[in-house]
C-alpha cells in the first residue's frame, strides 16, 4: 500500500512501492495526461512535480513519492483558470502531435517557479525534454511570453 497525495487529493493505493510512479498515476489513479515515452528518465514525457520540483515519474518508485505533494498536468490549472504557461502554449500554438507537451509544460512550470525570467541558457540547461516533432523554437518563445506575462 502506498499513500500518495496527487493534485491535492489523498489516495491509498494497493500497489508494490517499487512500481514506477508513472504507472500508478496513469493506471491506478487514471490521470493519463502524464505520458510514457522512454521509461529511462531521458525524454521527460512523464514529468510531474514533486513538492514543486520537476521529476521524471517513469523512474521513481511510487513509495519514494509518499508524503510529498505530487502535481500532474491535470492539477496545474486552478479553479478552471489556466496558468500563464498554459496560456502561452495556446497563444503560440506550440503542440504538434502533443505527446511530449504535458511533460514539457510541467518542466517549464517548475523552471519559471524557480527562475521567473530565464535566459536562453537557463532554458537550454533546464528543459531537456525531447520533442520528436521539433517544437523547441515554439517552446522557447512560449517560455519567454509566459515569463513576461
Ligand atoms: S518516460 Fe520518463 S523520461 Fe521518458
Ligand atoms: S509535439 Fe510531438 S513529440 Fe512533441
Amino acid at each position: 500500500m502506498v499513500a500518495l497525495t496527487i493534485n491535492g487529493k489523498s489516495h491509498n493505493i494497493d500497489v508494490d512501492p517499487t512500481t514506477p510512479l508513472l504507472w500508478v498515476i496513469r493506471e491506478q489513479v487514471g490521470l493519463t495526461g502524464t505520458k510514457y515515452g522512454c521509461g529511462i528518465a531521458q525524454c521527460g514525457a512523464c514529468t510531474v512535480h514533486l513538492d514543486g520540483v520537476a521529476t521524471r515519474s517513469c523512474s521513481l518508485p511510487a513509495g519514494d513519492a509518499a508524503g510529498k505533494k505530487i502535481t500532474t498536468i491535470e492539477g496545474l490549472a486552478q479553479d478552471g483558470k489556466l496558468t500563464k504557461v498554459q496560456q502561452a502554449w495556446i497563444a503560440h500554438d506550440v503542440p504538434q502531435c502533443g505527446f511530449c507537451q504535458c511533460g514539457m509544460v510541467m518542466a517549464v512550470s517548475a523552471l519559471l517557479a524557480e527562475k521567473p525570467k530565464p535566459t536562453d541558457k537557463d532554458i537550454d540547461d533546464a528543459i531537456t525534454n525531447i520533442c520528436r516533432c521539433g517544437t523547441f523554437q515554439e517552446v522557447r518563445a512560449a517560455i519567454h511570453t509566459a515569463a513576461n506575462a
Side-chain angles (χ1 to χ4, degrees):
M1 190 72 76
V2 181
L4 297 177
T5 304
I6 304 176
N7 301 335
K9 270 196 200 161
S10 300
H11 300 267
N12 283 314
I13 299 160
D14 188 9
V15 71
D16 184 321
T18 64
T19 306
L21 178 62
L22 173 62
W23 299 123
V24 175
I25 289 171
R26 286 182 59 86
E27 296 191 352
Q28 268 75 33
V29 184
L31 296 172
T32 54
T34 309
K35 303 295 191 242
Y36 173 74
C38 64
I40 52 169
Q42 294 296 303
C43 73
C46 64
T47 304
V48 299
H49 295 172
L50 227 62
D51 287 342
V53 177
T55 303
R56 294 184 174 183
S57 63
C58 67
S59 302
L60 184 82
D64 289 8
K68 300 196 170 154
K69 192 176 138 196
I70 302 162
T71 307
T72 70
I73 188 76
E74 292 89 348
L76 218 52
Q78 293 296 314
D79 302 324
K81 187 169 168 16
L82 296 179
T83 64
K84 286 177 183 177
V85 173
Q86 290 171 313
Q87 290 176 33
W89 245 243
I90 292 168
H92 284 269
D93 206 8
V94 176
Q96 291 193 32
C97 80
F99 192 85
C100 71
Q101 296 291 319
C102 294
M104 197 72 89
V105 165
M106 295 309 285
V108 169
S109 302
L111 168 65
L112 291 182
E114 196 191 321
K115 282 194 180 154
K117 300 277 181 206
T119 63
D120 283 346
K121 181 171 185 324
D122 293 333
I123 293 169
D124 290 345
D125 289 347
I127 308 302
T128 57
N129 298 46
I130 294 170
C131 173
R132 293 197 68 167
C133 298
T135 62
F136 301 109
Q137 294 308 318
E138 288 81 5
V139 165
R140 183 188 298 277
I143 292 171
H144 287 305
T145 295
N148 291 315

